[in-house]
Amino acid sequence: MNSRIRTVLASVLIIGSIVLTSCSSKLPDETLPSVTESISAETEAVETEVIETEPDETEPTIGPNSTAQVTERPVDVYGQLSVSGTNLVNENGEVVQLRGMSSCGLIYQYNFFTDAICDTLVQDWGCSVVRLAMTTRGYDMGYIYDPDRFFDEVCTYADRLIERGCYVILDWHILYDGDPNENKELALDFFSRMSAIYGDCPNVIYEICNEPNGTRFDDESVIVDWDNVIRPYAVDVINAIRANDPDNIIIVGTPSWSQNVDEASLNPIDDPNVMYTLHFYAGSHGQELRDRAQTAIDNGLPLFVTEWGTSLDSGSGGVFYDETFEWLEFLDANNISWCNWCIGGSNTESSNALRLYSNNFTMEQKLFGHWPDEMLSDSGLFVRSLILGQEPIIRVED
């Protein structure tokens, strides 16, 4: 990679870090809810050092080369989304199926969503929706440790995608904190402020609890079920959002890592524009989970697959093409929108769409976006073709 590109990328990273400090200024003081005191821990921002050097003749010549395939802005095509029966529909009441990518946990991919990468996902890949997964509590960091930093980071990325007309899912990505009530006050603060900023923006979708699971944080004898744990939490958070945003879609996680959608269908929430999360990994989940999903649909529950993978549920195990095709047939038959996991992850999971660890491609090339096929994993190459509605690409290794 030549020194000019290195200089440009250094500027992008510096500018991005400056922009990330400014998002909360969009809110006038009187609209801010009371701020919940954050957990006492300090998390330093990841600093990326880009050193300008002379071109190295031994560096790979493969460069970013994908180009725009889609020129229409999704929000200009569909407008204000709503729910009709079990379907997501556009402003004219016509059925819509959004397709796109989910980020990895944002706490592990600092400033990944550059302008160039947003262009790539929306225009080159044809994503009509991108999910921003804001991990609430990771192993050693997360939103609960530094709310101001991560709040600004989420809405900065959201702004870049909204500028390109993409629908954006703001995902409160609980996982290790499987009971959403564990950090409920922070969730109320997060979604109150987000809805105050984006309440008039038709691009925004709120996902208020990623994968509820396990037992209650304050009583291990109580399972994180729908009626007693998740639904009461959801009602309170939805009310906080609706105080600022009466129209945009809200997505609610369901029990057992967002798989027991049939349980939620027996006692849905009284809000016309609420949908419910279904998650699957093609190598681990099959007909039994589709049967549960079909039961929920038959009971009138509108589903949105905000996370699915081509791999095992561990993220590994390669691409399960046949099993994925079975799932896609089900999703298409029921007009279910989806986001694939994941883009920009910091590990070597086979579900990761980019080959992040490689001797062949530099981090600068990855942040530059417009990735050539050689920079995509088998899953990434396959899923990109699915999003674009092209003939599925199945890479056959030599």
Side-chain angles (χ1 to χ4, degrees), residues 27 97 112 252 341 388:
L27 287 170
Q97 184 187 32
F112 177 78
V252 183
W341 182 274
L388 285 168

Side-chain angles (χ1 to χ4, degrees), residues 183-386:
N183 294 299
K184 179 178 176 180
E185 293 304 314
L186 278 173
L188 289 168
D189 175 80
F190 177 85
F191 286 109
S192 293
R193 289 194 283 158
M194 284 296 179
S195 58
I197 292 172
Y198 297 112
D200 295 325
C201 180
N203 304 60
V204 172
I205 298 169
Y206 310 94
E207 184 177 4
I208 64 175
C209 50
N210 166 56
E211 290 185 351
N213 65 86
T215 59
R216 282 212 55 154
F217 76 99
D218 56 356
D219 186 349
E220 292 188 356
S221 67
V222 178
I223 300 295
V224 176
D225 66 356
W226 176 253
D227 285 340
N228 300 304
V229 180
I230 303 169
R231 191 181 189 281
Y233 161 88
V235 168
D236 287 346
V237 176
I238 289 168
N239 287 339
I241 293 171
R242 291 298 183 226
N244 298 312
D245 186 341
D247 301 317
N248 281 329
I249 301 296
I250 298 173
I251 304 175
V252 183
T254 54
S256 297
W257 292 272
S258 287
Q259 294 174 28
N260 290 357
V261 289
D262 53 336
E263 185 179 334
S265 72
L266 299 177
N267 187 14
I269 294 167
D270 185 18
D271 186 299
N273 287 322
V274 165
M275 304 186 79
Y276 300 81
T277 309
L278 172 67
H279 287 179
F280 71 86
Y281 283 78
S284 297
H285 308 121
Q287 190 59 49
E288 181 182 354
L289 183 53
R290 285 193 291 275
D291 289 344
R292 266 182 266 163
Q294 189 62 61
T295 295
I297 294 168
D298 292 344
N299 289 339
L301 205 72
L303 302 181
F304 197 126
V305 174
T306 58
E307 179 179 323
W308 71 273
T310 61
S311 65
L312 297 172
D313 55 9
S314 64
S316 60
V319 177
F320 290 80
Y321 292 106
D322 291 341
E323 293 81 357
T324 296
F325 284 127
E326 289 185 77
W327 270 106
L328 291 172
E329 183 178 354
F330 176 80
L331 299 182
D332 290 346
N334 291 284
N335 302 310
I336 297 175
S337 298
W338 53 259
C339 292
N340 176 257
W341 182 274
C342 65
I343 191 75
S346 58
N347 50 41
T348 55
E349 292 181 352
S350 55
S351 60
N352 194 338
L354 284 179
R355 291 175 164 177
L356 276 192
Y357 288 122
S358 170
N359 294 326
N360 297 323
F361 312 115
T362 67
M363 183 55 71
E364 289 92 337
Q365 283 176 300
K366 290 155 191 168
L367 290 176
F368 199 80
H370 304 289
W371 309 292
D373 292 356
E374 293 86 350
M375 288 177 67
L376 304 184
S377 68
D378 292 354
S379 182
L381 194 66
F382 176 55
V383 171
R384 185 191 64 185
S385 65
L386 298 176

Side-chain angles (χ1 to χ4, degrees), residues 7-53:
T7 302
V8 169
L9 284 163
S11 300
V12 167
L13 290 170
I14 292 169
I15 292 170
S17 64
I18 293 172
V19 171
L20 289 177
T21 65
S22 63
C23 188
S24 296
S25 64
K26 295 179 183 179
L27 287 170
D29 292 340
E30 61 269 21
T31 67
L32 286 169
S34 58
V35 178
T36 303
E37 183 177 356
S38 64
I39 293 177
S40 178
E42 293 185 0
T43 305
E44 295 296 329
V46 178
E47 295 183 358
T48 304
E49 181 179 3
V50 181
I51 301 173
E52 183 174 348
T53 62

